[in-house]
Every structure is written in structure tokens, then in C-alpha cells.
């Protein structure tokens, strides 16, 4: 095209910089009070349609003859020019208005309304609805001219009340409002009611009043409300609230003065205004939905550009050409994306990326490389620490005493000089651990750490029991073998309600990162009351001694509470560990009710040997011989993989030639981390209080069956089916056990009494 022909075309005197400043860029990132949101710096609605129309024009040019002199259209008759303009898109008409005074006067003339109407009708699809995919626009309202409506849709994104930008049009008020002007022009219902005294002056008209005021759900001056935003409280136009308040006051004053037809005119006003407001808001919601659809389309397109294989491949080749690692490509892509959005580039073509990417990649790839090397270094350090952990499990643990096999790796091991030198050594490879240097240090560290932790636990006991300090000091670390070595995690959390017995359980809390331990004085009081009932001294009784006695006890408070509740109740038979932690047990709390609290002294009764045999028969075995947690104590055969008790016993017999292995000397149960006895231990037996119908024993059975406790109905069925006894006789076919050996104490009797059917003996 000749230069003189180009001079006659619109925008021929504008350079690219001015056009970009007018139209703005496509996308930018905006950081506001709502957080980071991807928004358009300019009118992204106009940009979207402009791009689509440009693509459509190129497609038309490929299939039709090219117009070499478009300026010749201006020489045609006006009627023919208007007919041609009627086939254009409304955005094209809007652009033509700003080309020359002649075209502006032609399209803004009142007689050009058919041109605009034809343009809008052609932009709609068959359903008559606005669809951005078909380049259709929302229909023009009757109270707005076509040029004004087109300007609202495609005009610059500049606030109508101030020169700030960006500001997209709010179709509720048909204004472009920036963030500050939005907060000034609109206000919530509560603030509007207070500011204009709406509800106070006319409380009975409040509901009708708000239906006559235009409202919007927009909270962002660029984005449009989604379906979820429409569930929030709306904002009302300050001018509308003020105008409606004044109008309603005038109508009410006329009604109060008794003017003729005042009430009828007021009702007509309310009905008409409500209807118009409803239609106004309905159209605004439809337009907002249309804009939101375009927003989502553009956002998906923007994300797709940097996620496309073309861009990924382009950047990968550039990174390789610059001599960098291909692993830096995924990190460079976000840097490039941030650069393009912050620098307000309007296009994201492959050519543009190839033009700008060498400089950008060279800049960003250094940061990506630095980040990648730091992450690789951290991964290497964790891998070396894992190697130290594997060395501890495979090499160090079998060399430890058997009772320390399940000890978690002490954190102090990673702070040893040789370990620190190995973990933090230069290079990116995992070398072998220097075993000759590391092993002696680790063994010495564990020995010192265990001794230190044990001494700290002993100090806790000495501090909590100053009256027993002289007696306990003479035992040294042997204090932890006593039954009175009772600890609990410090604090009021649920973990603080777990009772730990001796070093065997406390070590898991100490080395497992559980936190600080304290001596449990309440559990010690319970234990002292229990030991007093069997004539043992808590200062000298070890946990092993009381466990081998295999005694069972009953809480006096639980017994009395159960007797008061119902004669057919029951109480729990307690093992010595249950007695110490009785105030922690959920069952103990529930059964005792308000009988005694955590601060009230505990009292226990000892059950007779005959009763204990029946109770033990009904309890489940703990620790279970069927769980694979048993190990030999005479060798490291099971240091890594413990087995079931049967296999451990067979191993001791065969390899160590011990005919009768003893638990605790030849084999032992390896308690798991945080395994508390009374949480995962035996099933406690309930002792029935109904003397007539419960706690009966069959005298005709032999072996373990003779220890079974029956209720009357079950025993009668057992005797009839197993022994063919139809009329059982007491002391011939059955006898009563529990209540003949254990009788509830009378008021004034001291704790620690064994009651039998023959006599009572004070212990």
C-alpha cells in the first residue's frame, strides 16, 4: 500500500508506544488487601474482543480478495457506508468513533441508531444471549444510548470519579470505580442505616426500602463477583440511599398531612421503583457474569501460554545453549512468567520469548541454580543423617545391652565431632562412614547419655521426696528398679495422663522427643497404700518383686460406690500397676464417680489367693506370647528382628543349652515405643457384687476350668449339659468364692485387711 494511502487511514499518526499506553497491557499482578490476584491492567474485555476480531479478520483475508485501498470506503454514499458499518462489531464502531471527526459525527448522530442496533443484533447468537465465545455483547438497555453502552463495555479502564486506574465498570451503577471510590460511593446496609437514619425513622418500611436501592456484590474494582461472592452482604449506592430516604420522607409527610391520594401515590412509587431496581440489578448480574466468563477465558489462556510445550521446549534449548543444567528449567519458567506480568508485556508469542529469553534466562537461571544446589545440599545432608541412622541400627544396636536394643537413636550422636565431619563434608556423594573412628565415639556417647538420663530421673525422685533422700541416695541408680519409680510427662495435655514405670518405660519418653518428665507423687501415694496392704516397704520393694507376687487388689472407694449404685454392680480387680495409676484410668474414674477425686488418699484391699487364681484365669496374658516382640538376652540373634515367645524359648534351649528359660534372665519382651502397660496390657476382670447369683465355681471340673467364675444361670446350664446335674447343691456341685473371701469393710476399719469366711487378719 502506498504511503499516501496509509496516511488516510485512522491511527496512521499514532506510534506503537501511544497505542500501548491507550489500550494498556493484557495482564499484570496486583497485590491488594484481598491477596494476590491476577488482574487486567486495562480493559481486558476490549483486549479480548480485539484479539478475537484480529484473528477473525486474518481468516477472512485468507479466503477473500484483499482490499488494497480501504480508505475508498469513505467515498461511498452515506447510506451505503452505514449499511457497511452495520455489519461491524460494536467494538469496531467504538474504535471508528475515535478515528476522525467526520466518522464520529456520523456514528454519534441520532439517525445512526439503526447502525448500532444492527451491529448489536449481529453480535448475538441464536439464543439472543451474550456469549463471549461468539463475540456477542450484552444487549443495550432502553434507558442508555448505544454509544454510551459501548463505551461502558469497551472504554478505557479509568475511574470515572478520579484519574486512577485500573477500574472496570460496575454495571449496577454503570460507572467505573477504582478501589478508593468504590468504598466512598457504596457502603454496607448497616452503615447506610446508621448514616441516613433509615430503620430508626421508618422501621416498618425497612424491608421495602432496601428493595428500592441498587446494590452490588463487587469487592474488587477489577474482578467481577462469582457465585460464591453473591452470597455475601451487598453494598448499596450512597446516593441511592440518600435519594430514596428523602423520597420516602416526602411521601410519609404527605400521608401524615392527609393529602388526597397520598397513600395510593406512595404505593405506586414503591411498586414502580422496586420493579425498576429489580430489572436494573438483574441486567447488572448478567453483565457481571459475562465479564467473569471473559476473565476466566483469559486467565486460562495466560496460564496455558507458560505451560505449553512450545515455551517449555524453547526455554530448555536456551538453558542448554547457555551451559546450564536442564533441571533449572522448571524453576526458570515461573521467573519468566513473573517478569512478563510485572513488565506489562501485551503479547506472549514464541517469537517474543525467543527475543527476550536469553537475557532473562541468564539472569534467572543463576537464581534457579542457586536454589537447586541448596535443595540438593539439604537432601544430601538428610541422606547422610539417614546413613548414620542405618549404621546405628545395623552395627551399633547389636553391640548394646539387650535392654537398650529398642532405645531410639540419641540426638547427641549427630553432634559427635566425627559424625559432624562426615555429614557436613564437602562433595555431593554419600561416602562410607569411618567405622573405626565412629563406633567408639557412639558407644561412649550412648553410655554417658544413658547414665546422665538415669541420674536425672533419680534427681527428680530425690527432689519430689526430700524426706526419703538419705535412704534413696544409698541405692544410686538402682532407685529406678524400685516399684516407686513412677514418672509422667510434664504438662496438662493428654500425654501428661500416661504413667511411666521405671527406666524401661521412661527411656522411650526421654529419647523419643516426648519432652520433660516429672515424678508422679499421686501415683506414689497409691502405690504406698497398696504396698502397705501386703506388708512391703516401698523404699526397698522392686518392681520385679511385686510383679512376681502376682497379687490383685480392689479399690475401697470403687467398692463402696458400686454398692451404693446397685447390688448387682461390679468392681475391677487391680494389678499393682493399676493401683499406682488408678486415678488416671478412665474406667476407674467412671466406676468411682464422685466417690474420690485425684487429690483424695487411695485405699486398697488385698484379695485372697483363691480369688486371685480365678481372676488371673479370666485375665488375658500380658505380654502376649503370640506377638513377635520377644528376644534372647544371651546373644544378638534377635537384635534386629524380634520373634514370638515360642521361637525365642526354642532358640535359648537349642543354642544356649538352657532347659528352662527364665523370662527376664534368658529372654525378654521388647516393649514398643510409648507402650503403656495399662493401655495395651491385660483385660481386667470384673468382680460381681451379687452374692446370690454371681461368683460361683464348679466343684466337678478339674484343671483350669475349675477356676472359672460363673453366674447362676450359666452355671446351672453348665452342670446340666456337662455333668448331668439337674438339681445342683452348694458345696457339693458348686461353691461361692468371692464374697466368702472378700467382705466390704465396715466404717472405722483400717485399710489393708484380708477378709475371709473364717477370720480377719490385720496385715
Amino acid at each position: 500500500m502506498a504511503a499516501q494511502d496509509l496516511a488516510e487511514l485512522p491511527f496512521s499518526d499514532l506510534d506503537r508506544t501511544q497505542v500501548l499506553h491507550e489500550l494498556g497491557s493484557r495482564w499484570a499482578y496486583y497485590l491488594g488487601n484481598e491477596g494476590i490476584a491476577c488482574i487486567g491492567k486495562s480493559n481486558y474485555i476490549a483486549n479480548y474482543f480485539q484479539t478475537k476480531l484480529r484473528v477473525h479478520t486474518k481468516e477472512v483475508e485468507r479466503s477473500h480478495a484483499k482490499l488494497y485501498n480501504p480508505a475508498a470506503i469513505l467515498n461511498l454514499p452515506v447510506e451505503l457506508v452505514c449499511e457497511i458499518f452495520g455489519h461491524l462489531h460494536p467494538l469496531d464502531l467504538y474504535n471508528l468513533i475515535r478515528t476522525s471527526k467526520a466518522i464520529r459525527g456520523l456514528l454519534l448522530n441520532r439517525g445512526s441508531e439503526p447502525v448500532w442496533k444492527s451491529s448489536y443484533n449481529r453480535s448475538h447468537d441464536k439464543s439472543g444471549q451474550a456469549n463471549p465465545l461468539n463475540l456477542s455483547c450484552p444487549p443495550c438497555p432502553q434507558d442508555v444510548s448505544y454509544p454510551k453502552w459501548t463505551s461502558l463495555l469497551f472504554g478505557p479502564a479509568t475511574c470515572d470519579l478520579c484519574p486512577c486506574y485500573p477500574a472496570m465498570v460496575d454495571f449496577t451503577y454503570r460507572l467505573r470505580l477504582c478501589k478508593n471510590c468504590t468504598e466512598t460511593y457504596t457502603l454496607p446496609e448497616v452503615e447506610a442505616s446508621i448514616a441516613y437514619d433509615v430503620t430508626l425513622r421508618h422501621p416498618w418500611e425497612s424491608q421495602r426500602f432496601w428493595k428500592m436501592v441498587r446494590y452490588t456484590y463487587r469487592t474488587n474494582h477489577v474482578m467481577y463477583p462469582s457465585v460464591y461472592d453473591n452470597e455475601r452482604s451487598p453494598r448499596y449506592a450512597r446516593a441511592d440511599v440518600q435519594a430514596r430516604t428523602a423520597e420516602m420522607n416526602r411521601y410519609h409527610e404527605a400521608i401524615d398531612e392527609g393529602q388526597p391520594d397520598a397513600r395510593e401515590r406512595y404505593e405506586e412509587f414503591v411498586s414502580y421503583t422496586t420493579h425498576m431496581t429489580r430489572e436494573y440489578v438483574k441486567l447488572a448480574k448478567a453483565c457481571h457474569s459475562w465479564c467473569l466468563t471473559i476473565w476466566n477465558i483469559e486467565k486460562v489462556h495466560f496460564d496455558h501460554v507458560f505451560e505449553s510445550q512450545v515455551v517449555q521446549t524453547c526455554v530448555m534449548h536456551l538453558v542448554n545453549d547457555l551451559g546450564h543444567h536442564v533441571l533449572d528449567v522448571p524453576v526458570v519458567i515461573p521467573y519468566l512468567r513473573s517478569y512478563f506480568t510485572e513488565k506489562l508485556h501485551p503479547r506472549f508469542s514464541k517469537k517474543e520469548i525467543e527475543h527476550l529469553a536469553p537475557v532473562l534466562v541468564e539472569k534467572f537461571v543463576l537464581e534457579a541454580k542457586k536454589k537447586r544446589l541448596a535443595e540438593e545440599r539439604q537432601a544430601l545432608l538428610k541422606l547422610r543423617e539417614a546413613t548414620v541412622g542405618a549404621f546405628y541400627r545395623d552395627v551399633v544396636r547389636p553391640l548394646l545391652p539387650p535392654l537398650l536394643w529398642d532405645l531410639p537413636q540419641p540426638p547427641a550422636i549427630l553432634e559427635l565431632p566425627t559424625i559432624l565431619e562426615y555429614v557436613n563434608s564437602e562433595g555431593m556423594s554419600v561416602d562410607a562412614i569411618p567405622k573405626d573412628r565412629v563406633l567408639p565415639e557412639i558407644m561412649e556417647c550412648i553410655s554417658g547419655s544413658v547414665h546422665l538420663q538415669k541420674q536425672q530421673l533419680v534427681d527428680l525422685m530425690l527432689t519430689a521426696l526430700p524426706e526419703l533422700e538419705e535412704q534413696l541416695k544409698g541405692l544410686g541408680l538402682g532407685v529406678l528398679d524400685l516399684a516407686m519409680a513412677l514418672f509422667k510427662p510434664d504438662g496438662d495435655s493428654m500425654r501428661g495422663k500416661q504413667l511411666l514405670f521405671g527406666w524401661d518405660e521412661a527411656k522411650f519418653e526421654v529419647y523419643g522427643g516426648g519432652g520433660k518428665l516429672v515424678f508422679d507423687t499421686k501415683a506414689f501415694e497409691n502405690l504406698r497404700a497398696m504396698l502397705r496392704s501386703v506388708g512391703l516397704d516401698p523404699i526397698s520393694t522392686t518392681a520385679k518383686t511385686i510383679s512376681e507376687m502376682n497379687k490383685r487388689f480392689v479399690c475401697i472407694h470403687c467398692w463402696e460406690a458400686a454398692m451404693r449404685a446397685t447390688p448387682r454392680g461390679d468392681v475391677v480387680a487391680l494389678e499393682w500397676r493399676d493401683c499406682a495409676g488408678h486415678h488416671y484410668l478412665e474406667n476407674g474414674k467412671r466406676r468411682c464417680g464422685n466417690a474420690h477425686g485425684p487429690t483424695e488418699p487411695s485405699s486398697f484391699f488385698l484379695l485372697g489367693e483363691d480369688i486371685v487364681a480365678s481372676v488371673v484365669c479370666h485375665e488375658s496374658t500380658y505380654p502376649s506370647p503370640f506377638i513377635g516382640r520377644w528376644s534372647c538376652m544371651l546373644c544378638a540373634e534377635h537384635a534386629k528382628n524380634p520373634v514370638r515367645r515360642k521361637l525365642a524359648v526354642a532358640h535359648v534351649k537349642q543354642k544356649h543349652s538352657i532347659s528352662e528359660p527364665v523370662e527376664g534372665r534368658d529372654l525378654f519382651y521388647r516393649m514398643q515405643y510409648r507402650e503403656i502397660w495399662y493401655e495395651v496390657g491385660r483385660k481386667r476382670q470384673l468382680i460381681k457384687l451379687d452374692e446370690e447369683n454371681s461368683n460361683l465355681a464348679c466343684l466337678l471340673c478339674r484343671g483350669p476350668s475349675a477356676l472359672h467364675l460363673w453366674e447362676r444361670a450359666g452355671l446351672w446350664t453348665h452342670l446340666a449339659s456337662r455333668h448331668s446335674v439337674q438339681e445342683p447343691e452348694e458345696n457339693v456341685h458348686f461353691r461361692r468364692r468371692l464374697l466368702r473371701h472378700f467382705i466390704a469393710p465396715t466404717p472405722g476399719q483400717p485399710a489393708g485387711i484380708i477378709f475371709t469366711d473364717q477370720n480377719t487378719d490385720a496385715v
Side-chain angles (χ1 to χ4, degrees), residues 621-673:
T621 303
Y622 181 84
S624 174
F626 305 105
I627 299 177
R629 297 291 302 171
W630 295 85
S631 297
C632 174
M633 297 185 66
L634 305 177
C635 65
E637 179 70 21
H638 306 136
K640 296 182 181 179
N641 302 312
V643 296
R644 292 185 298 174
R645 191 179 191 278
K646 181 179 179 180
L647 298 177
V649 171
H651 165 79
V652 173
K653 289 181 178 180
Q654 296 175 5
K655 188 170 183 178
H656 303 286
S657 302
I658 298 178
S659 58
E660 295 294 336
V662 179
E663 183 178 337
R665 186 193 67 185
D666 305 319
L667 70 157
F668 72 108
Y669 176 77
R670 297 169 62 171
M671 183 178 295
Q672 299 180 16
Y673 173 66

Side-chain angles (χ1 to χ4, degrees), residues 164-175:
C164 296
Y165 69 94
M168 295 297 293
V169 62
D170 190 329
F171 291 92
T172 302
Y173 313 120
R174 295 171 184 172
L175 289 174

Side-chain angles (χ1 to χ4, degrees), residues 332-599:
V332 172
I333 294 296
Y335 283 116
L336 287 177
R337 174 172 177 165
S338 301
Y339 176 85
F340 276 94
T341 53
E342 292 175 1
K343 294 301 182 180
L344 311 181
H345 282 276
R347 295 180 294 114
F348 302 97
S349 63
K350 178 182 177 181
K351 182 178 180 180
E352 181 182 13
I353 293 178
E354 291 178 348
H355 176 69
L356 297 175
V359 179
L360 301 179
V361 170
E362 184 65 26
K363 173 184 177 182
F364 296 140
V365 80
L366 296 178
E367 300 179 12
K369 181 180 179 180
K370 182 179 178 181
K371 181 179 179 181
R372 175 176 56 83
L373 293 178
E375 292 177 352
E376 291 178 355
R377 182 64 179 175
Q378 290 297 325
L380 178 63
L381 296 181
K382 291 183 178 180
L383 183 59
R384 288 176 176 173
E385 292 178 358
T387 304
V388 175
F391 178 79
Y392 175 82
R393 292 191 305 268
D394 299 337
V395 179
V396 178
R397 181 171 291 171
L399 302 178
L400 297 175
L403 295 180
L404 297 180
W405 283 348
D406 291 321
L407 182 72
Q409 177 182 326
I413 290 181
L414 294 176
E415 299 178 2
L416 296 175
T418 307
I419 298 296
L420 285 176
E421 180 182 353
Y422 164 74
V423 173
N424 298 321
S425 60
E426 297 296 332
M428 301 300 291
S429 62
V430 182
D431 301 326
I433 296 179
K435 180 179 178 180
D436 297 338
R437 297 171 53 195
V438 170
L439 187 57
E441 290 187 5
I442 293 181
M443 298 298 293
E444 183 180 357
C445 174
I446 294 177
S447 177
S449 175
V450 170
H451 184 275
L452 176 63
Q453 295 297 338
K454 285 185 175 181
Q455 187 60 49
Q456 290 179 354
L457 294 179
V458 172
D459 294 341
L460 289 177
M461 298 177 62
L462 297 178
T463 304
L465 303 172
E467 68 277 5
L468 304 178
E469 183 176 358
E470 295 298 328
Q471 304 179 48
L472 296 177
K473 274 187 176 181
L475 300 177
L477 297 180
V479 175
L480 299 179
D481 296 329
L482 299 179
M484 62 176 292
L486 305 170
F487 306 95
K488 67 176 182 179
D490 191 12
D492 299 330
S493 63
M494 292 299 295
R495 296 192 311 106
K497 295 182 180 180
Q498 297 178 359
L499 184 60
L500 305 176
F501 296 88
W503 168 253
D504 290 342
E505 293 186 4
K507 64 184 179 183
F508 293 107
E509 186 72 18
V510 171
Y511 288 101
K516 184 180 178 182
L517 293 180
V518 296
F519 181 75
D520 196 331
T521 55
K522 177 59 181 175
F524 173 69
E525 294 177 1
N526 294 345
L527 180 69
R528 184 164 52 182
M530 182 272 300
L531 292 177
R532 190 182 299 119
S533 68
V534 294
L536 296 177
D537 183 13
I539 307 302
S540 59
T541 303
T542 63
K544 182 179 180 181
T545 301
I546 189 63
S547 297
E548 291 176 350
M549 293 176 63
N550 202 21
K551 300 293 185 180
R552 296 295 183 269
F553 306 84
V554 171
C555 175
I556 296 177
H557 298 286
C558 295
W559 176 272
E560 294 176 347
M563 290 293 292
R564 289 193 299 267
T566 172
R568 298 180 62 86
D570 49 44
V571 292
V572 181
L574 304 174
E575 200 257 357
W576 76 273
R577 296 174 184 256
D578 296 331
C579 295
H582 187 54
H583 58 295
Y584 288 133
L585 296 179
E586 295 182 1
N587 288 341
K589 285 187 175 182
R590 180 176 60 82
R591 294 184 181 280
C592 295
N594 297 325
H596 63 88
T599 59

